[in-house]
Amino acid sequence: MAGSKQCIIDVDLATIVSAAADGKFIRMQAWGDEVEVLNYDDIENGTARHVEVRVFKFVKQDEGYKPVAASGFIVSKSVKPADVVRPKEADDVLKCNFVDVQQGDGSVIETPKGKVMLVDGGDNVMFARYLASRFRGTTEEKPRDVECVLVTHGDADHFQGLTEISKSEKLSRSWQRLFIDPKRVYHNGLVKRPGKIGARKRRETEMLGATETVKDPATNKNITLLTELESDLLEVADEKMNEPFRAWKSALKAYNVRRTKTGAAAIEFRRLEKGDSDAFDFLAEENIKIEVLAPIPVETATVKGLKFLGEPPKGPRIGQESLQLDGGEFKGKSASHTINGHSIVFRLTYGRFNFLFTGDLNDEAARVLTRAHNSGELNLQAEVFKVPHHGSADFSGALLQAVSPVISIISSGDESARKEYIHPRATLVGALGKYSRVEEPLIFVTEMVAFFEVVGKVRPEFHSLDENDVCEIGADGLAVVNKKAAKAFFAFSRTEYGIVKIRTNGRRLLVYTNSGQSDLKEAYAYEVDESGKVRPSPVRKV
């Protein structure tokens, strides 16, 4: 269209209506969101009274929300049209969204130049559905480039949902499909084995590969090191992988085959540990810096590996930092605490703002990390903090004090009684407030920023199916009711998934969430001065 141009929103929140005068609400766009401006020539020459845009609105379907193109206007009496939008090529806004994936983690980082980095992905379809709605119109021939997929550690609730992205390619609804082309896959090197060796249940120390007992150079005590640290996941034998890992490997293999068929380089697989910050050199041209702070390996004269970690003290946990643990050690050997504790921890810096991502970091590993911070070996302080392990009680107060966050994001959600861990813990939430550097810190929980509406009492009809999955009809001509049919129950519907959205140009930061009302957002803005002091900033709305 003549005069149209791809632009980004250059105010914090912009309301789009169907007509310039008393129009119907279409949707609200935020700072850094891309829109097609239809009257850009008029805006550029100063004759435009409003900003006319083409965007996508999301219409509820039986299976999610379908993106539908819509045109509308951004109207403001106080802000000039030229100050509402700016050309896409002048974009300087980093976008980071923390997505509600229920019990798990899933985040997406997008740079001003459109480079995408996925950090974890939950264990269900929620992350894939969100990404498909955001990165619309992909096909096998035109997949979305993904610079990096970073899996902080090998628990299914952090990566099994990434496999759902690959599965989505075969969905019947085009708007739920997502084709991606991942260039790099980073992980912590620990691969979970199947729970059994034949008929025998695998021991804790066998769950993560080969081990070796050595003298800890720091304490001169015997410790167990994990030495079978993987890099290229496609080279790991299937029998060394549990089911989620095998499914992930299969998806990665398919992506790799597709890349090599087009003549592109194979996926770069890399195990990350402290100091491997060069893995993110692809962000340097945009002045985005990522420092890899953990996992921290132990190295002796003959071997290098990750320490096998133990169980934390039994709860309830109140003031655990003051407990005098036996020699400062956690007792026993726990595969689950080991894979959590050796999560990839990285610090992203853009201008004056810092983000700290921590996976499922736990108390024992966090103490090692915090000692490195206190010695000046690394810097943990960050304005934005992805809280470890969904708000678990297994946290380090010293770590929170070192981070001293302004904005904390806890990714958690209830799914079933089996996956109920009481996340986030009250002690953890209290500690986040206590150790913040501002008087009124922000603490977001992904499941709490979702919105549920009352449906009321429903009685589902469950019918028996034949071998062709067709409803069985009885001799009376009626459908045969399944005897396992659920009884009537009182239902709620999730109408808005919880996403914490952060935007920053390195000098100013906006954080906002959606609500049950499309035009109602919870939004806050901050600025950081040259000395690093954070202060609130008015939210700019039109």
Side-chain angles (χ1 to χ4, degrees):
M1 179 180 289
S4 70
K5 188 177 182 65
Q6 292 301 120
C7 294
I8 64 161
I9 300 294
D10 205 27
V11 293
D12 291 336
L13 296 170
T15 298
I16 300 170
V17 295
S18 58
D22 301 324
K24 183 179 179 182
F25 176 85
I26 294 177
R27 69 169 302 184
M28 187 175 283
Q29 297 282 85
W31 188 28
D33 285 346
E34 188 171 347
V35 294
E36 182 183 2
V37 176
L38 304 181
N39 62 334
Y40 187 76
D41 287 350
D42 293 338
I43 291 174
E44 195 171 36
N45 63 36
T47 61
R49 296 180 60 190
H50 315 297
V51 181
E52 186 176 2
V53 298
R54 179 180 288 119
V55 295
F56 282 88
K57 61 180 180 179
F58 294 89
V59 180
K60 188 174 183 179
Q61 309 287 308
D62 290 338
E63 285 283 333
Y65 289 81
K66 180 179 180 179
V68 177
S71 297
F73 295 85
I74 302 173
V75 181
S76 176
K77 295 180 180 179
S78 58
V79 181
K80 296 178 181 178
D83 295 328
V84 173
V85 294
R86 67 159 64 185
K88 174 63 179 172
E89 58 267 25
D91 186 3
D92 64 350
V93 180
L94 176 76
K95 298 186 279 288
C96 182
N97 286 5
F98 299 88
V99 182
D100 175 21
V101 291
Q102 294 181 321
Q103 176 59 38
D105 270 16
S107 309
V108 54
I109 299 167
E110 185 176 358
T111 74
K113 291 186 180 298
K115 293 180 179 179
V116 172
M117 178 172 160
L118 306 182
V119 183
D120 294 330
D123 67 355
N124 54 48
V125 301
M126 294 174 71
F127 195 57
R129 291 283 172 87
Y130 162 72
L131 293 174
S133 69
R134 176 168 172 177
F135 302 120
R136 298 174 292 274
T138 60
T139 64
E140 185 172 355
E141 293 73 29
K142 293 183 178 180
R144 175 73 193 202
D145 285 341
V146 174
E147 292 294 327
C148 171
V149 177
L150 188 154
V151 177
T152 58
H153 66 291
D155 272 343
D157 62 330
H158 286 251
F159 77 92
Q160 193 170 8
L162 296 170
T163 306
E164 296 294 335
I165 298 175
S166 178
K167 291 181 181 178
S168 77
E169 296 177 3
K170 297 180 172 61
L171 294 176
S172 59
R173 298 174 179 85
S174 61
W175 46 275
Q176 291 181 341
R177 299 180 204 137
L178 177 63
F179 295 81
I180 65 171
D181 181 19
K183 298 179 182 179
R184 304 166 182 87
V185 173
Y186 297 155
H187 56 99
N188 72 349
L190 297 177
V191 174
K192 276 189 174 181
R193 270 53 176 172
K196 291 185 176 181
I197 303 175
R200 178 177 69 82
K201 184 178 180 180
R202 222 179 263 269
R203 292 188 292 271
E204 287 289 303
T205 52
E206 297 175 323
M207 287 298 298
L208 301 173
T211 62
E212 187 170 335
T213 300
V214 300
K215 292 284 187 184
D216 187 343
T219 65
N220 203 35
K221 292 183 178 181
N222 283 342
I223 58 172
T224 300
L225 292 187
L226 286 155
T227 57
E228 196 172 357
L229 304 178
E230 308 291 354
S231 183
D232 188 341
L233 295 176
L234 299 185
E235 296 297 323
V236 181
D238 283 358
E239 58 267 24
K240 292 184 177 182
M241 294 179 151
N242 66 9
E243 186 175 343
F245 264 105
R246 290 196 299 271
W248 178 224
K249 176 185 174 182
S250 179
L252 291 171
K253 184 176 181 180
Y255 288 136
N256 210 39
V257 168
R258 185 181 297 164
R259 281 185 63 81
T260 54
K261 277 185 177 179
T262 63
I267 295 173
E268 177 191 345
F269 290 93
R270 185 166 176 181
R271 174 181 67 83
L272 297 186
E273 63 182 43
K274 179 178 176 289
D276 285 341
S277 304
D278 64 304
F280 299 94
D281 284 350
F282 61 87
L283 298 173
E285 65 174 343
E286 297 186 68
N287 296 316
I288 299 169
K289 177 184 178 182
I290 288 184
E291 302 165 90
V292 180
L293 308 180
I296 301 176
V298 174
E299 188 168 7
T300 71
T302 59
V303 67
K304 181 179 180 181
L306 296 176
K307 180 184 175 183
F308 220 107
L309 304 181
E311 294 275 358
K314 298 296 183 184
R317 179 216 156 99
I318 297 180
Q320 185 165 305
E321 285 294 333
S322 64
L323 293 179
Q324 296 299 311
L325 300 176
D326 183 15
E329 299 292 336
F330 289 65
K331 295 179 180 180
K333 291 182 175 62
S334 167
S336 62
H337 285 87
T338 297
I339 202 166
N340 284 343
H342 291 305
S343 292
I344 294 172
V345 176
F346 68 92
R347 185 174 185 257
L348 183 154
T349 300
Y350 184 48
R352 297 172 184 171
F353 285 97
N354 302 283
F355 297 67
L356 188 69
F357 290 76
T358 57
D360 276 1
L361 188 72
N362 54 27
D363 191 0
E364 184 174 5
R367 294 185 185 204
V368 177
L369 198 61
T370 306
R371 283 196 290 270
H373 168 88
N374 292 339
S375 69
E377 188 180 339
L378 51 82
N379 187 358
L380 291 172
Q381 190 174 78
E383 287 68 42
V384 181
F385 182 36
K386 205 298 294 180
V387 176
H389 203 186
H390 325 296
S392 162
D394 188 13
F395 70 91
S396 165
L399 173 79
L400 307 188
Q401 192 170 4
V403 178
S404 187
V406 177
I407 301 166
S408 299
I409 298 99
I410 302 169
S411 181
S412 68
D414 297 325
E415 295 180 47
S416 65
R418 185 179 68 84
K419 290 190 176 183
E420 175 53 63
Y421 305 103
I422 319 178
H423 290 162
R425 292 291 177 130
T427 51
L428 177 279
V429 177
L432 287 171
K434 176 181 180 180
Y435 293 125
S436 173
R437 79 189 80 158
V438 295
E439 289 296 319
E440 297 180 357
L442 302 182
I443 302 172
F444 293 100
V445 183
T446 54
E447 67 176 313
M448 289 182 65
V449 299
F451 182 80
F452 296 83
E453 67 180 8
V454 175
V455 174
K457 198 168 185 179
V458 298
R459 184 178 182 86
E461 292 290 342
F462 287 94
H463 299 118
S464 296
L465 304 179
D466 61 21
E467 64 275 10
N468 297 313
D469 288 339
V470 176
C471 182
E472 288 187 14
I473 305 297
D476 57 1
L478 300 177
V480 178
V481 176
N482 187 334
K483 293 181 180 180
K484 296 181 180 179
K487 295 180 179 179
F489 61 93
F490 197 87
F492 293 83
S493 172
R494 188 197 303 257
T495 60
E496 185 66 58
Y497 287 91
I499 307 176
V500 181
K501 303 181 180 183
I502 295 181
R503 310 286 184 262
T504 181
N505 60 4
R507 302 176 300 280
R508 191 172 174 280
L509 181 144
L510 169 75
V511 55
Y512 73 100
T513 66
N514 297 323
S515 75
Q517 301 178 41
S518 299
D519 59 346
L520 180 63
K521 312 292 183 188
E522 183 176 15
Y524 307 90
Y526 294 92
E527 294 177 349
V528 175
D529 63 23
E530 293 182 359
S531 68
K533 185 175 182 179
V534 180
R535 62 176 181 268
S537 175
V539 175
R540 308 167 303 181
K541 296 181 180 180
V542 297

